[in-house]
């Protein structure tokens, strides 16, 4: 797995390099102090992972990310916690490391990437097969196995480019599909899209803080265009 670092502080660069060297399957293709210098490598090389600071010279890390048409997976590194909610708006960002961070926290972020890659190795193109007229359940065909999924057991559905992950109380299934299609499957009142990449089951919401929904011990971002509809659904009393 190849990666590059975009970080303008030398001590932070050195910490990232030392952590990366402890991961056998992770190869550094470059360390840069500005996005402009890294842009050439991103265009020429097949980079799997980008460690990206937010406060950078010339252009911020998040604004630079907007310029990439097909960005690699991204782990944000910053000293400012107030950017976390905004970072969740980007599909390519898999984690947000708040400086200073330990190797244990760094490894947790890397493992998120590894888990997603392992899931993708068994993904096949699939159709979702309805099994009842009232749409209470579906069959999902993943890796030549039909999995029956009770729609009410779905906690949330997440999209990542051409893939969809359906997370239930029992397991999660990842396959090639679109979130738009799942909006049609999940027409029940207790399902709502809260982000361009997420549909959630309102019955599993634990709390809402700012632009984050806590659902089944997971943080799900709320997009600006979906927030008003969400609050209309949950109807806070004050």
């Amino acid at each position: 797995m190849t990666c590059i670092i975009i970080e303008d502080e030398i001590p932070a660069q050195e910490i990232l390099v030392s952590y990366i060297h402890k991961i056998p399957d992770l190869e550094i293709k470059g360390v840069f102090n500005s996005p402009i210098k890294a842009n050439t490598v991103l265009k020429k090389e097949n980079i799997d992972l980008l460690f990206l600071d937010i406060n950078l010279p010339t252009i911020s890390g998040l604004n630079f990310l907007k310029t990439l048409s097909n960005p690699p997976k991204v782990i944000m590194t910053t000293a400012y916690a107030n950017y976390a909610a905004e970072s969740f708006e980007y599909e390519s960002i898999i984690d947000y490391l708040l400086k200073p961070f330990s190797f244990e926290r760094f490894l947790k972020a890397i493992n998120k990437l590894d888990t997603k890659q392992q899931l993708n190795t068994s993904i096949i193109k699939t159709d979702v097969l309805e099994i009842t007229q009232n749409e209470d359940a579906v069959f999902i065909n993943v890796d030549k196995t039909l999995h029956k999924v009770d729609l009410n057991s779905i906690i949330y559905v997440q999209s990542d480019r051409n893939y969809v992950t359906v997370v239930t109380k029992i397991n999660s299934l990842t396959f090639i599909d679109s979130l738009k299609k799942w909006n049609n499957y999940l027409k029940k009142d207790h399902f709502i899209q809260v982000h361009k990449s997420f549909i959630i089951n309102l019955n599993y919401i634990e709390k809402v803080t700012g632009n984050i929904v806590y659902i089944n011990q997971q943080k799900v971002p709320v997009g600006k265009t979906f927030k008003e509809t969400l609050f209309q659904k949950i109807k806070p009393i004050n």
Side-chain angles (χ1 to χ4, degrees):
M1 188 190 311
T2 58
C3 69
I4 65 171
I5 298 169
I6 305 179
E7 167 63 67
D8 63 334
E9 296 178 356
I10 293 178
Q13 289 179 0
E14 292 174 346
I15 289 172
L16 278 170
V17 170
S18 69
Y19 286 174
I20 291 169
H21 284 164
K22 294 180 181 180
I23 310 297
D25 297 329
L26 203 51
E27 178 187 0
I28 300 175
K29 287 291 187 179
V31 180
F32 304 93
N33 58 16
S34 77
I36 305 304
K37 293 179 181 179
N39 199 38
T40 302
V41 174
L42 286 169
K43 287 180 179 179
K44 292 182 178 180
E45 298 273 355
N46 184 20
I47 302 299
D48 300 308
L49 178 61
L50 169 61
F51 294 94
L52 180 63
D53 191 10
I54 291 180
N55 288 328
L56 293 165
T58 310
I59 184 172
S60 75
L62 291 176
N63 285 337
F64 173 66
L65 200 53
K66 292 177 184 178
T67 69
L68 302 178
S69 58
N70 188 28
K73 293 302 179 185
V74 178
I75 294 177
M76 302 301 303
T77 61
T78 180
Y80 302 94
N82 55 305
Y83 289 104
E86 183 181 355
S87 295
F88 280 118
E89 297 283 343
Y90 298 79
E91 291 185 18
S92 56
I93 296 177
I94 63 169
D95 209 345
Y96 184 99
L97 296 179
L98 189 61
K99 301 174 186 174
F101 48 87
S102 64
F103 177 71
E104 180 182 0
R105 181 63 184 88
F106 171 85
L107 185 58
K108 184 177 179 180
I110 296 297
N111 285 340
K112 287 185 179 182
L113 179 67
D114 288 345
T115 299
K116 185 162 289 188
Q117 287 187 329
Q118 288 166 9
L119 285 170
N120 288 349
T121 61
S122 63
I123 292 170
I124 62 171
K125 186 169 177 59
T126 181
D127 289 324
V128 179
L129 309 173
E130 297 178 14
I131 63 170
T132 61
Q133 290 184 346
N134 61 5
E135 298 180 341
D136 285 336
V138 292
F139 273 129
I140 301 178
N141 181 9
V142 179
D143 199 19
K144 300 181 181 179
T145 301
L146 291 175
H147 300 264
K148 182 182 177 181
V149 176
D150 180 354
L151 296 187
N152 289 323
S153 74
I154 295 175
I155 298 169
Y156 63 86
V157 180
Q158 179 180 6
S159 71
D160 183 1
R161 300 187 185 183
N162 297 324
Y163 301 114
V164 162
T165 298
V166 175
V167 178
T168 74
K169 292 186 292 185
I170 300 171
N171 59 7
S172 63
L173 300 168
T174 302
F175 47 93
I176 297 176
D177 211 336
S178 69
L179 201 67
K180 182 178 180 181
K181 187 186 295 184
W182 276 88
N183 255 328
N184 293 327
Y185 289 126
L186 303 174
K187 289 183 177 179
K188 297 177 182 292
D189 290 338
H190 52 275
F191 285 99
I192 182 173
Q193 185 170 357
V194 296
H195 185 272
K196 62 183 179 181
S197 302
F198 286 92
I199 298 170
I200 67 170
N201 187 335
L202 295 172
N203 293 332
Y204 293 100
I205 290 180
E206 297 161 3
K207 62 181 178 179
V208 181
T209 303
N211 294 323
I212 302 294
V213 170
Y214 291 79
I215 184 165
N216 198 48
Q217 300 182 339
Q218 297 292 324
K219 294 180 182 180
V220 172
V222 179
K224 294 178 182 178
T225 58
F226 301 96
K227 192 170 185 177
E228 183 178 351
T229 304
L230 171 63
F231 277 89
Q232 288 174 355
K233 284 279 188 179
I234 61 177
K235 298 178 180 177
I237 60 174
N238 55 16

